[in-house]
Coordinates of all heavy atoms in Angstrom, one line a residue:
I1 N -3.9 -0.1 8.7 CA -4.8 0.6 7.7 C -5.0 2.0 8.1 O -4.9 2.9 7.2 CB -6.2 -0.2 7.7 CG1 -6.0 -1.6 7.0 CG2 -7.2 0.7 6.8 CD1 -7.3 -2.4 6.9
D2 N -5.3 2.3 9.3 CA -5.5 3.7 9.7 C -4.2 4.3 10.2 O -3.8 4.2 11.4 CB -6.5 3.7 10.9 CG -7.0 5.2 11.2 OD1 -6.6 6.1 10.5 OD2 -7.7 5.4 12.1
L3 N -3.5 5.0 9.3 CA -2.2 5.5 9.6 C -2.1 7.0 9.9 O -1.1 7.5 10.1 CB -1.3 5.3 8.3 CG -1.0 3.8 8.0 CD1 -0.3 3.7 6.6 CD2 0.0 3.2 9.0
H4 N -3.3 7.6 10.0 CA -3.4 9.0 10.4 C -2.5 9.9 9.5 O -1.7 10.7 10.0 CB -3.1 9.2 11.9 CG -4.1 8.5 12.8 ND1 -3.8 7.3 13.3 CD2 -5.3 8.9 13.2 CE1 -4.9 6.9 14.1 NE2 -5.8 7.9 14.1
A5 N -2.5 9.6 8.3 CA -1.7 10.3 7.3 C -2.5 10.6 6.0 O -3.7 10.1 5.9 CB -0.4 9.5 7.0
D6 N -1.9 11.3 5.1 CA -2.6 11.6 3.8 C -2.9 10.2 3.1 O -3.8 10.2 2.3 CB -1.8 12.5 2.9 CG -1.6 13.9 3.5 OD1 -2.5 14.3 4.3 OD2 -0.7 14.6 3.2
M7 N -2.1 9.2 3.4 CA -2.2 7.9 2.7 C -2.6 6.9 3.8 O -1.9 6.7 4.8 CB -0.9 7.6 2.1 CG -0.9 6.4 1.1 SD 0.8 6.1 0.5 CE 1.1 7.6 -0.4
D8 N -3.7 6.1 3.6 CA -4.0 5.1 4.5 C -3.4 3.8 4.0 O -2.6 3.7 3.0 CB -5.6 4.9 4.7 CG -6.3 4.5 3.4 OD1 -5.6 4.0 2.5 OD2 -7.5 4.7 3.4
G9 N -3.7 2.7 4.8 CA -3.0 1.4 4.4 C -3.3 0.9 3.0 O -2.5 0.3 2.3
F10 N -4.6 1.1 2.6 CA -5.0 0.7 1.3 C -4.3 1.5 0.2 O -3.8 0.9 -0.8 CB -6.5 0.8 1.1 CG -7.3 -0.1 2.0 CD1 -8.3 0.4 2.8 CD2 -7.0 -1.5 2.0 CE1 -9.1 -0.5 3.6 CE2 -7.8 -2.4 2.8 CZ -8.8 -1.9 3.6
D11 N -4.2 2.8 0.4 CA -3.5 3.6 -0.6 C -2.0 3.2 -0.7 O -1.4 3.2 -1.7 CB -3.6 5.1 -0.2 CG -5.1 5.6 -0.3 OD1 -5.8 5.2 -1.2 OD2 -5.4 6.5 0.5
L12 N -1.5 3.0 0.5 CA 0.0 2.6 0.6 C 0.2 1.2 -0.2 O 1.1 1.1 -0.9 CB 0.4 2.4 2.0 CG 1.8 1.9 2.3 CD1 2.9 2.7 1.6 CD2 2.1 1.8 3.8
A13 N -0.8 0.3 0.0 CA -0.7 -1.0 -0.7 C -0.7 -0.8 -2.2 O 0.0 -1.5 -2.9 CB -1.8 -1.9 -0.2
K14 N -1.6 0.1 -2.6 CA -1.7 0.3 -4.1 C -0.4 0.9 -4.6 O 0.0 0.5 -5.7 CB -2.9 1.3 -4.4 CG -4.3 0.7 -4.2 CD -5.3 1.7 -4.3 CE -5.4 2.3 -5.7 NZ -6.6 3.3 -5.8
E15 N 0.3 1.8 -3.9 CA 1.5 2.3 -4.3 C 2.6 1.2 -4.3 O 3.4 1.2 -5.2 CB 2.0 3.4 -3.3 CG 1.2 4.7 -3.4 CD 1.5 5.4 -4.8 OE1 2.6 5.4 -5.3 OE2 0.5 6.0 -5.4
I16 N 2.6 0.3 -3.4 CA 3.5 -0.8 -3.3 C 3.3 -1.7 -4.6 O 4.3 -2.1 -5.2 CB 3.3 -1.7 -2.1 CG1 3.8 -0.8 -0.8 CG2 4.1 -3.0 -2.1 CD1 3.4 -1.5 0.5
R17 N 2.1 -1.9 -5.0 CA 1.8 -2.8 -6.1 C 2.4 -2.1 -7.4 O 2.7 -2.9 -8.4 CB 0.3 -3.0 -6.3 CG -0.2 -4.0 -5.3 CD 0.1 -5.4 -5.7 NE -0.4 -6.4 -4.8 CZ 0.4 -7.1 -4.0 NH1 1.7 -7.0 -4.1 NH2 -0.2 -8.1 -3.2
N18 N 2.7 -0.8 -7.4 CA 3.3 -0.2 -8.6 C 4.7 -0.7 -8.9 O 5.1 -0.6 -10.1 CB 3.2 1.3 -8.5 CG 1.8 1.9 -8.6 OD1 0.9 1.3 -9.3 ND2 1.6 3.0 -8.0
F19 N 5.4 -1.1 -7.8 CA 6.8 -1.5 -8.1 C 7.0 -2.9 -7.5 O 8.1 -3.5 -7.8 CB 7.8 -0.5 -7.4 CG 7.6 -0.4 -5.9 CD1 8.2 -1.2 -5.0 CD2 6.8 0.7 -5.4 CE1 8.1 -1.0 -3.7 CE2 6.7 0.8 -4.0 CZ 7.3 0.0 -3.2
D20 N 6.1 -3.5 -6.8 CA 6.3 -4.9 -6.3 C 5.0 -5.6 -6.5 O 4.2 -5.8 -5.5 CB 6.7 -4.8 -4.8 CG 7.1 -6.2 -4.3 OD1 6.9 -7.2 -5.1 OD2 7.5 -6.3 -3.1
S21 N 4.7 -6.0 -7.7 CA 3.4 -6.6 -8.0 C 3.2 -8.0 -7.4 O 2.1 -8.5 -7.3 CB 3.3 -6.8 -9.6 OG 4.3 -7.6 -10.1
R22 N 4.3 -8.6 -7.0 CA 4.2 -10.0 -6.4 C 4.5 -10.0 -4.9 O 4.7 -11.1 -4.3 CB 5.2 -10.9 -7.1 CG 4.9 -11.1 -8.6 CD 5.8 -12.1 -9.3 NE 7.2 -11.7 -9.2 CZ 8.2 -12.3 -9.8 NH1 7.9 -13.3 -10.6 NH2 9.4 -11.9 -9.7
G23 N 4.6 -8.8 -4.3 CA 4.9 -8.8 -2.9 C 3.7 -9.4 -2.0 O 2.6 -9.5 -2.5
F24 N 4.0 -9.6 -0.8 CA 3.1 -10.2 0.1 C 2.6 -9.2 1.1 O 3.4 -8.8 2.0 CB 3.7 -11.5 0.8 CG 4.4 -12.4 -0.1 CD1 5.7 -12.4 -0.4 CD2 3.6 -13.3 -0.8 CE1 6.3 -13.3 -1.3 CE2 4.1 -14.2 -1.8 CZ 5.5 -14.2 -2.0
I25 N 1.3 -8.8 1.1 CA 0.7 -7.8 1.9 C -0.2 -8.4 2.9 O -1.1 -9.1 2.6 CB 0.0 -6.8 1.0 CG1 1.0 -6.0 0.1 CG2 -0.7 -5.7 1.9 CD1 0.4 -5.1 -0.9

């Protein structure tokens, strides 16, 4: 979750959901 970047784990997961709606997170 804490990736020390502009995008944290939650933001990354939201981006993933844009192209992989059924992926396992």
Side-chain angles (χ1 to χ4, degrees):
I1 291 180
D2 189 5
L3 292 168
H4 298 95
D6 293 337
M7 190 182 300
D8 64 18
F10 292 127
D11 294 326
L12 175 56
K14 288 173 66 178
E15 287 294 321
I16 290 168
R17 283 286 179 245
N18 288 332
F19 60 85
D20 189 354
S21 61
R22 297 182 302 188
F24 307 97
I25 295 175

